[in-house]
Amino acid sequence: MSLRQFEYALAVATEGSVTAAAESLRVAQPSMSQQIRNLERDLGVTLFDRTPGGLVPTAVGRAFLQEAEIAVNAARRARETARAGADDLVGELAVAAQLGFGTRQLPGALGVLRRRFPRLEVTVFEESSSAELEQLCRRRVTDFALMAACRRGPADAHRLGEEEFVAVLGAGHPQLAADRVDLRALEGEPWVRFDRDSALDGVLQEVSEENGLTPATVARVSQTATAVRWAAHGLGVTLVPASAVPRGYEHLARPVSPVVSQPVIAVVHPDAGPAATALLELLRQETWDGSASLRRSDADEPHDEPHEETAAANVVRPLRAG
């Protein structure tokens, strides 16, 4: 038996088929099938029932997989700890972030991490759906996640601060004269909204119900930068986390009343290793008072021409989780 066979069995249990598991691990399907058969022969048990719906772990298979996951994670942690001791982390760090969370803080922290460990490969998933984000965490696709809520215990979940939401208005909008916009004053405005299953659209729905708003949808988008740009050009109002406002657009963003905010929670998988721990410590040093960060940026930035924040492109390979 080998750790590689354990990894294959865990992938099959997660994906439900040898073909999908082979694709996820980028190995040949016949080779994986053979390794699973060899593993079952060596153990003298059947790990999976072959059903019309796919491969399903047997009772003994489920017990074996629990121990196999512990062994695989322990081996991974041992490798990463040894490499960290040599001041040269090598491997992968998978990070997932709820759409709009840590838009300013995460790139800077990842940049420091990559400069410290240049051989570390970082992959970031930006996910709009809270349910999909939870699924990524459950399937152990990610080592580290930023989200508004989670079901993990206190050992896994670390509260970093609050993410305050702001309204972004078009140039010349009368509400820009106020330091804080009363949400009720936006009744009757057209809104640039997010996809219906997005956690951000869920925030707007909840805020609307609490404040008696009936937002008229003029457009639906998938990314916060798109929503801000369209709102800035007068298409409609949008509501986004303060840190998601791109530099150059801060003068069009206003905090709202009543205050709308969500906690920012970092979820670190118990077996994620030293890279995830290092990222957590870097993010603890960031400012998570979104409205304060927005005010500082607004004071420092010229307002002549809006421009995009591009630093993150040099740090990670962005992926759209699906």
Side-chain angles (χ1 to χ4, degrees):
M1 292 182 292
S2 68
L3 283 172
R4 175 59 66 182
Q5 288 176 319
F6 289 7
E7 291 173 345
Y8 287 174
L10 290 166
V12 170
T14 298
E15 302 294 341
S17 77
V18 173
T19 300
E23 290 178 355
S24 69
L25 294 181
R26 296 185 176 90
V27 299
Q29 185 269 338
S31 175
M32 178 171 285
S33 295
Q34 183 63 47
Q35 290 296 329
I36 295 296
R37 287 194 295 269
N38 291 344
L39 180 60
E40 289 181 320
R41 186 189 64 239
D42 292 343
L43 292 170
V45 299
T46 299
L47 296 176
F48 298 96
D49 284 328
R50 279 69 175 173
T51 72
L55 296 182
V56 179
T58 62
V60 69
R62 288 194 295 272
F64 167 80
L65 290 168
Q66 289 179 353
E67 299 301 324
E69 184 173 19
I70 293 173
V72 169
N73 288 335
R76 176 188 177 191
R77 189 167 59 250
R79 287 193 301 267
E80 292 182 348
T81 300
R83 289 164 178 164
D87 292 326
D88 187 18
L89 270 179
V90 180
E92 298 182 5
L93 176 66
V95 179
Q98 183 173 317
L99 181 64
F101 275 41
T103 305
R104 289 200 175 156
Q105 297 91 340
L106 189 57
L110 287 173
V112 172
L113 190 68
R114 285 293 307 279
R115 288 190 293 274
R116 185 178 300 172
F117 304 113
R119 297 172 64 190
L120 180 67
E121 183 177 343
V122 179
T123 301
V124 177
F125 299 84
E126 189 175 49
E127 181 54 61
S128 62
S129 167
S130 297
E132 291 294 331
L133 192 57
E134 286 280 358
Q135 186 177 8
L136 286 174
C137 294
R138 286 197 303 271
R139 291 175 58 197
R140 187 56 172 88
V141 174
T142 63
D143 304 297
F144 189 101
L146 284 180
M147 60 182 74
C150 70
R151 301 190 180 98
R152 302 296 187 95
D156 304 324
H158 308 265
R159 186 175 179 130
L160 297 176
E162 291 281 329
E163 183 70 79
E164 185 172 352
F165 282 66
V166 296
V168 181
L169 312 167
H173 194 289
Q175 291 297 324
L176 287 174
D179 292 331
R180 185 174 289 271
V181 175
D182 188 334
L183 282 168
R184 297 173 185 84
L186 299 177
E187 174 63 21
E189 295 272 358
W191 283 82
V192 178
R193 301 180 61 173
F194 294 93
D195 296 334
R196 288 182 174 82
D197 64 345
S198 166
L200 292 184
D201 198 60
V203 171
L204 178 59
Q205 291 182 38
E206 183 177 346
V207 167
S208 298
E209 292 172 2
E210 292 175 350
N211 292 276
L213 298 178
T214 52
T217 304
V218 68
R220 287 191 181 272
V221 299
S222 300
Q223 300 297 321
T224 52
T226 302
V228 170
R229 285 198 300 269
W230 289 15
H233 284 86
L235 188 63
V237 182
T238 197
L239 188 71
V240 298
S243 67
V245 178
R247 296 191 186 280
Y249 291 90
E250 296 93 342
H251 61 296
L252 299 176
R254 293 290 183 274
V256 297
S257 178
V259 174
V260 178
S261 66
Q262 287 189 323
V264 181
I265 298 174
V267 180
V268 183
H269 195 279
D271 299 307
T277 302
L279 177 59
L280 175 63
E281 293 309 311
L282 289 170
L283 287 174
R284 287 188 189 278
Q285 300 171 26
E286 295 285 337
T287 299
W288 290 95
D289 180 353
S291 60
S293 175
L294 186 66
R295 288 193 295 272
R296 284 196 298 272
S297 298
D298 187 34
D300 296 338
E301 289 289 329
H303 299 156
D304 297 332
E305 291 293 337
H307 60 274
E308 296 291 335
E309 177 66 75
T310 58
N314 298 321
V315 177
V316 297
R317 302 195 321 269
L319 297 178
R320 179 70 171 91

